[in-house]
Amino acid sequence: MWLRRQGCLRPAGCGVEELRRRRREREAALRKARREQQLISKRLLRDDAPEEGEGGCVAVILGQAEIQQFLQLAQRGTEEKERGRALVSLRRGLQHPETQQTFIWLEGSMRTLVGLLTSNQALLQLEAARCLHELSHSEQSAVAEACLPATSYLLTYLSGHSSDFIELCLYTLGNLIVESEAVRRQLLPQGIVPALAACVQLCPRLHSPTTHAATVATWPKAELWGCCGVCLVPSLHHLQVNNALLITHGALSTLGLLLLDLAGAVQRTEDAGLELLACPVLRCLSNLLTEAAVGAVGEQMQLRDERVVAALFILLQFFLQKQPSLLPEGLWLLNNLTANSPSFCTSLLSLDLIEPLLQLLPVSNVVSLLVLTVLCNVAEKGPAYCQHLWPGPLLCSLLGTLAFSDTEVVGQSLELLQLLFLYRPEAAQAFLQQSGLQALERHEKEAQLQDRVHALQQTALHS
C-alpha cells in the first residue's frame, strides 16, 4: 500500500527552517488570540442579597431628585448609619443603566461621591466605593470616564490595610480599564503599574519557615490576590504597558516566587481556595512571558529553571485531581516558558517530565493541544532534544492522538511527528512498524490536514 502511494506523494518542500518559521507564525497568532481572549469580562461584586431579602428592598430606577436626596443625606446626615443607608439606596439604584446615566449628568454628583470616598469614616468610604464599583460595571464608556476623578484615590487605597476595600478598588479599576481609553491614558501617569506590582508583592510568603505560621491566617483571603490578577491581566493588555517597567518593579520575580509558594501550599493543604490565586498568577506570568525579552526571563525571575518547572508540574497534578479546568492555564505557561528557551526545555527533560506530560493527553482536546505544543517546542530545539523524546512512549501516544476527531489536535500531532522524523529519521521506521501509515490514511482527505499528512509521508519515506 505504501509503495502504491509513492507516485502520489507531494514534494516535502518543508525543511527544518521552514517548519520553524511556520511554527513561529502560528505561535505568534495563537498568543495574540489568547491574550485577546483573556481581556477578562468585567467583574461585579455584590454581597447584599441577604440584606435585601430581609428588608424587602428591591433596586429601583432613580430620578434626579432621588439621587440628589440620597447624596445630600449621605453628605449631611446626622448619624453615620443613616448616611450609610442613603449610599446603600443609591448603590442599588446604580445597578440600573438608566440611573447611571442620570447620575453622571447630574451636576456635582461625582464630586460629592468622591468626597465621601475620601472621608475619614470607613463605612461611608466603603459604600461610596461600592457605588463607584456599580458605575464601573457599565458598558458605556461615558460612565467610566465620569469616574476619572476617583481613579487616583482608588490607586492610593490599594496600599491600605482593609483587604475587602483593596479588593473592591482592584475590581473597580479593572472594570474601568476595560471600558475606557481615557481612563487608561490617565492611569498610567498616575502610577498604576507600580501600584499593581506592589499589590502582587503583598501576596503571602508561604514557603518561608519563619513566616509560615503568621501568614497561614491570611490564606483564606486568597480571593484578594486572585482579584489582583483579575485587574493585572487586563491592565497588561489594555494599558499597552511597557512590560519592562512592570518587570523592573519585580513582577516576574515576585510571581515566580509565588508560583513556588503555591506548589508548596498545595502539598500541605486541601484548601479549595488555592485555585483563586493560582489562576491569575499563572495567567499573569504567561502574559508577561509573551512580551518579555526571552533571553532575560531566567535572570529576571531569579530562579533556577528546574525549580520553576518542578513547581509548575506540582500544580498541574493538583489541578488534575482538584480543578481540571485550570490545566490549560498551567500548560499555557509551560508553553511560553519553553517556546524560545532551550534551558527550560532542558529542565523538562532532566526532570523526566515527558511521560507525566503525555499522561495529560486524554483529559480534553484543549489540554491535548497544549501538551503537543509544548512537546513541539522541545523537539524543535534539535537532535539532542529529540533523543530524549524517542525511544520512549511518545510514538505510541501520538498514534492515539491521530485517532482524535479534533483536527487541531491531529494537526499538532503531525507537526510533532514531522519534527521528530527530521531529527531522528529512525523514528519514522518505528512509526511505520506501529501501523503509523494506517493512522495517517484516516486524514488524507481532510482539507485542513492534507498538506501536513503528505509532507509527513514524504519525510518518513526518505528517512
Side-chain angles (χ1 to χ4, degrees):
M1 187 182 297
W2 177 256
L3 292 176
R4 286 200 301 271
R5 293 181 176 272
Q6 288 184 17
C8 301
L9 295 179
R10 303 179 186 181
C14 187
V16 175
E17 290 306 319
E18 175 65 13
L19 194 59
R20 282 180 172 175
R21 183 189 65 78
R22 294 180 186 178
R23 285 204 73 249
R24 291 191 192 102
E25 291 177 354
R26 283 198 298 273
E27 273 288 300
L30 178 63
R31 290 182 180 193
K32 180 180 178 181
R34 188 171 177 89
R35 281 201 305 273
E36 294 289 343
Q37 183 183 6
Q38 289 181 350
L39 296 187
I40 302 298
S41 57
K42 291 187 177 183
R43 297 303 201 265
L44 183 60
L45 297 178
R46 285 180 185 162
D47 193 23
D48 56 359
E51 180 185 343
E52 290 182 7
E54 293 171 8
C57 298
V58 178
V60 296
I61 298 173
L62 304 179
Q64 287 189 18
E66 293 164 306
I67 292 173
Q68 286 177 324
Q69 178 187 356
F70 288 134
L71 285 174
Q72 288 173 1
L73 188 57
Q75 192 176 27
R76 300 169 186 162
T78 56
E79 296 182 2
E80 185 179 4
K81 288 185 178 180
E82 181 185 29
R83 297 171 70 184
R85 283 195 296 269
L87 283 175
V88 170
S89 298
L90 176 62
R91 169 168 56 87
R92 288 174 178 155
L94 289 173
Q95 294 173 12
H96 293 280
E98 296 89 342
T99 305
Q100 294 172 354
Q101 289 292 332
T102 304
F103 180 89
I104 66 170
W105 293 116
L106 185 62
E107 185 176 357
S109 60
M110 185 58 69
R111 182 169 60 252
T112 301
L113 189 59
V114 171
L116 292 165
L117 178 70
T118 57
S119 71
N120 59 2
Q121 293 176 286
L123 175 63
L124 298 182
Q125 278 190 309
L126 182 61
E127 288 301 336
R130 286 174 174 168
C131 289
L132 285 166
H133 182 65
E134 291 291 347
L135 290 169
S136 77
H137 200 254
S138 171
E139 296 181 357
Q140 300 296 320
S141 58
V143 176
E145 289 165 15
C147 297
L148 279 171
T151 55
S152 60
Y153 300 106
L154 292 172
L155 282 175
T156 300
Y157 294 145
L158 293 183
S159 59
H161 299 292
S162 167
S163 59
D164 288 333
F165 198 51
I166 295 172
E167 179 184 24
L168 189 59
C169 292
L170 280 168
Y171 274 108
T172 302
L173 285 167
N175 289 346
L176 294 174
I177 287 166
V178 169
E179 190 58 51
S180 170
E181 174 64 29
V183 172
R184 295 193 284 272
R185 286 198 304 268
Q186 178 157 311
L187 283 172
L188 273 176
Q190 285 181 343
I192 188 171
V193 174
L196 290 175
C199 269
V200 174
Q201 291 174 331
L202 289 176
C203 294
R205 309 295 318 133
L206 297 182
H207 73 291
S208 172
T210 59
T211 60
H212 175 64
T215 58
V216 164
T218 74
W219 193 246
K221 269 297 175 186
E223 62 269 19
L224 170 61
W225 316 120
C227 79
C228 182
V230 167
C231 185
L232 184 57
V233 171
S235 299
L236 295 178
H237 179 95
H238 285 298
L239 293 173
Q240 297 180 348
V241 170
N242 176 1
N243 285 327
L245 179 60
L246 196 61
I247 293 170
T248 299
H249 284 85
L252 267 181
S253 178
T254 300
L255 289 168
L257 287 170
L258 188 54
L259 185 71
L260 301 187
D261 288 347
L262 283 166
V266 299
Q267 293 176 307
R268 291 194 300 265
T269 179
E270 297 293 326
D271 192 339
L274 287 172
E275 69 274 6
L276 293 171
L277 178 55
C279 183
V281 168
L282 293 170
R283 190 171 290 185
C284 290
L285 266 174
S286 296
N287 283 2
L288 277 175
L289 292 176
T290 63
E291 304 290 345
V294 175
V297 167
E299 180 181 347
Q300 292 288 356
M301 292 183 76
Q302 298 177 357
L303 298 169
R304 296 199 311 272
D305 301 335
E306 290 85 355
R307 294 183 67 196
V308 175
V309 174
L312 188 49
F313 267 79
I314 290 172
L315 290 175
L316 289 175
Q317 289 300 315
F318 172 75
F319 296 154
L320 182 62
Q321 298 169 14
K322 302 289 185 181
Q323 197 82 22
S325 62
L326 290 183
L327 282 171
E329 297 293 346
L331 289 169
W332 181 248
L333 174 56
L334 185 60
N335 172 60
N336 290 348
L337 288 170
T338 57
N340 297 295
S341 173
S343 62
F344 278 105
C345 292
T346 300
S347 297
L348 197 64
L349 299 174
S350 64
L351 294 171
D352 293 325
L353 293 173
I354 297 301
E355 191 163 349
L357 199 57
L358 291 174
Q359 291 171 359
L360 299 177
L361 286 173
V363 173
S364 69
N365 288 336
V366 172
V367 168
S368 295
L369 185 61
L370 286 167
V371 168
L372 293 167
T373 303
V374 170
L375 292 171
C376 281
N377 292 342
V378 176
E380 186 190 46
K381 302 303 185 291
Y385 291 84
C386 288
Q387 287 177 1
H388 291 270
L389 297 179
W390 187 86
L394 179 61
L395 285 183
C396 183
S397 297
L398 291 178
L399 282 168
T401 57
L402 288 176
F404 283 24
S405 58
D406 188 283
T407 54
E408 285 190 282
V409 172
V410 174
Q412 198 70 17
S413 302
L414 295 172
E415 184 169 321
L416 179 53
L417 285 168
Q418 180 82 1
L419 286 164
L420 185 64
F421 293 173
L422 285 170
Y423 290 121
R424 295 298 305 272
E426 58 272 34
Q429 298 306 314
F431 177 73
L432 295 177
Q433 291 170 9
Q434 297 179 36
S435 303
L437 177 58
Q438 291 86 337
L440 294 178
E441 286 176 341
R442 297 192 195 103
H443 305 289
E444 281 188 313
K445 295 182 180 180
E446 297 178 41
Q448 298 179 15
L449 300 173
Q450 279 181 341
D451 288 343
R452 292 190 186 184
V453 169
H454 292 151
L456 185 59
Q457 289 174 334
Q458 189 78 340
T459 301
L461 177 67
H462 290 89
S463 296

